Every structure is written in C-alpha cells, then in structure tokens.
Amino acid sequence: MILVTLEHILAHTPFFLLFFATLLYWGTLVFAKNNKLSSLGQISMIIAFICITGFSLTRWSYSGHLPFSNLYESFMFLSWSLCLIHIIVENSIIVGNKSKINWLGTITVPSAMLTHGFATLGLPREMQQSTVLVPALQSHWLMMHVSMMMLSYATPLCGSSLAIAFPVIASKKHVEIPVLGANTKPYFWFFSLEENDKQKESFLSNTSAPLSINYNKSQLTQQLDHWSYRIISLGFPLSTIGILSGAVWANEAWGSHWNWDPKETWALVTWLAFAIHLHTRITKGWQGKKPAIVASLGFSIIRICHLGVNPSGKGLHSYGWLIRDII
C-alpha cells in the first residue's frame, strides 16, 4: 500500500513541475536577463526527471517486471526520455559545449509536459494499473527492444520539434531583441530583415542603455538547425538498434524476423524518413528549410507509429488493444 501511494505521488508530481518549468522557460523569452527563471526551470526539470525515475523504480519493485507493459507505462517512459534528452542537450554534454541553451526549454519542455499529462490525466485509471506480463513479453529482450524504441521516439521528437520551429521563426519579418533599461522593464527594438548585421552590431555597441541580446534571427535559426540535426543523428542509431533487436525477439516469439505487422511497418517508415533526412544533409549538404520539412514529416510519422497504430487493435503488437499496447 505504501509503494502504491508513493507511486501515485511520484507519477503526478512531475506534471506540475513540468508545467511550472514551461512557464519559467517561456518567461525567459520576455525577461532575457533574468537568469533565475532559467535556473528554476532547469531545477524543475531535474526534479521531474528524478520523480519519474522514482516512479519507474517503485513500479518495477512491486510488479516484478520492467514498467513497459502497457500504453500508460510507455508514455511515462517517453516523458522520462524527453526530460533526459532535454537535460543532456541543455547542458551541452553531447558536444562538450559549456554554454547554456536557454531557448531550448521553450520548445522541448512543453513536449514532455503534454506527454506526461496525457499519461496521468488523459488515460483511464484502469489502464494505469500494473498487470502481469503476457507470455510474449516475458523475455530478456523486453528491456533492450522497448527502451531503444522509446528512446528512438523521444530523440527525433525533440529534434523534429526544433525543426518545426525553424520555418516558423524564419518566416518572421522582424527580429525581436529584448532591451532592458534602468527600470528593468522590457521593451523591444525591431530590426527588419534588410538591415545588415554589422549595422545592428554597431548600433547596439554604441547604445548607452544596457542591452541584452537573446538571439537574433540568424543566430537562432542556425542553432535550431544545428541542434535538430544533432539530436536526430543520435536517435537514428537508437532506432536501428531497436528494430534489429525487435527482429531477433520476433524470431524467438513468433518464428519470423519480420511479419509486416502495422507497428513494424510504421517503424520502418519512421526509420526511412529520418534516414532520408540524414542522407540529404550529409550527401547533399541540405540545411535550413528543406531538412526542416523532412524532419517535420518525420514528427507526424512518429506520432502515427507510437499512438496512431495502437487504437486499431490490429497486429502482433496489440496485446489487448489499448490495455496492452506498448511500443
């Protein structure tokens, strides 16, 4: 009973932390020099990540198996993965960059919040209960396959979200640069697209008021493009490992490596979509809007693969329709 109560607390607390973090990160768009907002957002994300980790460990301890048995648990793990990727990228561990990326949370944190909110508030209570694994899932491949596939969903989702933001920002006709005067109240200077970057820098350097330049348009779009590519590049090998481990597991469970199951088919489509994205960037040198369009398409395909296929109740991956659908 104690473990169930603890699990309930650990499951619902992260949603409020993620909602709070979302507000804080959005606040940094207005109050660009307020480092406290960004720091509080980072702390909220870390605490939420710890709570979701505690939830998974608690459920694992009393259920006797990894918490990957149904749609609820898969969404909780997806939320955990999104938080993990955000923390890693924000602290620039991937490329060893020591600078913080404060704008990242305005895009990635809402994704984690909505995913977690759907799991805890959107799914019926019956679907949130831990149940005994069906025979097909009682395998040592469960951890390898499901964890790799969920991580391969989370990384492209983060990368694709940045790619979706790219054309939105690129289509704006003006760049907003927060300017903070002595009264600390924010107002904005608007620079048109036709102005030269050197003229902007000269103007800003000669202005007596203390200025805080968050990111101008070119800098922001370049970073969105860069990090979208980096994150998707990380997710592609995870997807490859997940599909290969699933094929081995399928051969053990069903006697065939590939059955053209709806989930398998859409996983292959997802893999091909991001393979095309990486191929065009590496071999064709695409940057900017073109790869952003391909990545945006991949975002929709991942959503179909993870959630859209499950309600059909068809295929070898549908264990009791929504009650048992996992990856």
Side-chain angles (χ1 to χ4, degrees):
M1 182 65 182
I2 296 178
L3 290 178
V4 174
T5 303
L6 177 62
E7 176 198 302
H8 182 79
I9 295 173
L10 293 174
H12 288 80
T13 301
F15 174 76
F16 298 101
L17 291 170
L18 293 172
F19 179 75
F20 182 59
T22 299
L23 296 179
L24 291 172
Y25 278 108
W26 284 353
T28 60
L29 294 178
V30 178
F31 301 96
K33 273 294 185 180
N34 196 328
N35 293 327
K36 291 184 179 180
L37 292 178
S38 180
S39 298
L40 285 174
Q42 294 169 14
I43 294 171
S44 298
M45 284 296 295
I46 293 173
I47 296 175
F49 174 77
I50 294 173
C51 288
I52 301 174
T53 303
F55 160 83
S56 299
L57 293 175
T58 302
R59 176 162 285 209
W60 188 359
S61 65
Y62 78 78
S63 66
H65 59 77
L66 289 170
F68 297 151
S69 64
N70 55 35
L71 191 64
Y72 169 72
E73 293 175 353
S74 75
F75 265 90
M76 294 296 286
F77 187 77
L78 180 61
S79 174
W80 179 88
S81 301
L82 291 170
C83 292
L84 175 63
I85 294 166
H86 167 85
I87 293 170
I88 291 175
V89 176
E90 185 173 52
N91 289 277
S92 305
I93 294 177
I94 293 179
V95 294
N97 185 3
K98 295 181 180 179
S99 63
K100 301 293 182 181
I101 308 172
N102 294 327
W103 53 263
L104 183 72
T106 61
I107 301 173
T108 58
V109 176
S111 298
M113 179 195 68
L114 293 174
T115 300
H116 196 89
F118 177 79
T120 56
L121 305 176
L123 294 177
R125 184 172 295 274
E126 303 80 47
M127 294 181 61
Q128 300 181 16
Q129 303 301 317
S130 178
T131 53
V132 179
L133 289 176
V134 296
L137 298 180
Q138 296 174 7
S139 170
H140 59 278
W141 287 103
L142 179 65
M143 175 184 289
M144 178 70 172
H145 176 58
V146 178
S147 62
M148 287 297 100
M149 291 306 298
M150 296 308 301
L151 286 171
S152 74
Y153 291 158
T155 44
L157 281 174
C158 284
S160 299
S161 297
L162 301 183
I164 292 172
F166 180 93
V168 174
I169 295 175
S171 63
K172 286 190 174 183
K173 295 183 179 180
H174 297 85
V175 180
E176 296 182 357
I177 300 181
V179 181
L180 300 182
N183 58 1
T184 69
K185 293 182 179 180
Y187 58 100
F188 298 94
W189 288 90
F190 294 90
F191 293 106
S192 64
L193 294 180
E194 292 76 16
E195 290 177 309
N196 187 277
D197 289 336
K198 292 183 179 179
Q199 292 177 341
K200 297 178 191 177
E201 293 177 2
S202 176
F203 171 81
L204 294 174
S205 62
N206 294 328
T207 304
S208 58
L211 303 178
S212 175
I213 305 175
N214 187 17
Y215 287 100
N216 63 31
K217 181 177 178 178
S218 61
Q219 290 174 326
L220 181 55
T221 53
Q222 286 175 6
Q223 292 201 15
L224 286 172
D225 185 60
H226 170 79
W227 282 102
S228 172
Y229 173 53
R230 291 275 183 172
I231 297 172
I232 291 175
S233 298
L234 175 63
F236 184 73
L238 295 175
S239 178
T240 304
I241 295 173
I243 292 175
L244 291 177
S245 61
V248 176
W249 187 8
N251 187 54
E252 291 184 1
W254 304 317
S256 175
H257 290 93
W258 196 266
N259 300 280
W260 294 106
D261 173 79
K263 183 70 73 174
E264 294 174 350
T265 304
W266 278 100
L268 178 60
V269 172
T270 303
W271 185 89
L272 289 173
F274 288 104
I276 294 172
H277 172 82
L278 297 177
H279 174 75
T280 54
R281 293 200 63 126
I282 296 172
T283 63
K284 301 293 184 180
W286 282 12
Q287 292 184 356
K289 290 185 178 181
K290 289 183 178 180
I293 293 173
V294 178
S296 301
L297 178 62
F299 180 91
S300 301
I301 294 174
I302 291 176
R303 285 302 185 187
I304 294 173
C305 180
H306 181 227
L307 185 60
V309 176
N310 292 352
S312 66
K314 299 178 181 180
L316 296 171
H317 285 75
S318 297
Y319 302 103
W321 195 40
L322 284 177
I323 301 296
R324 288 289 185 179
D325 281 337
I326 48 171
I327 57 171

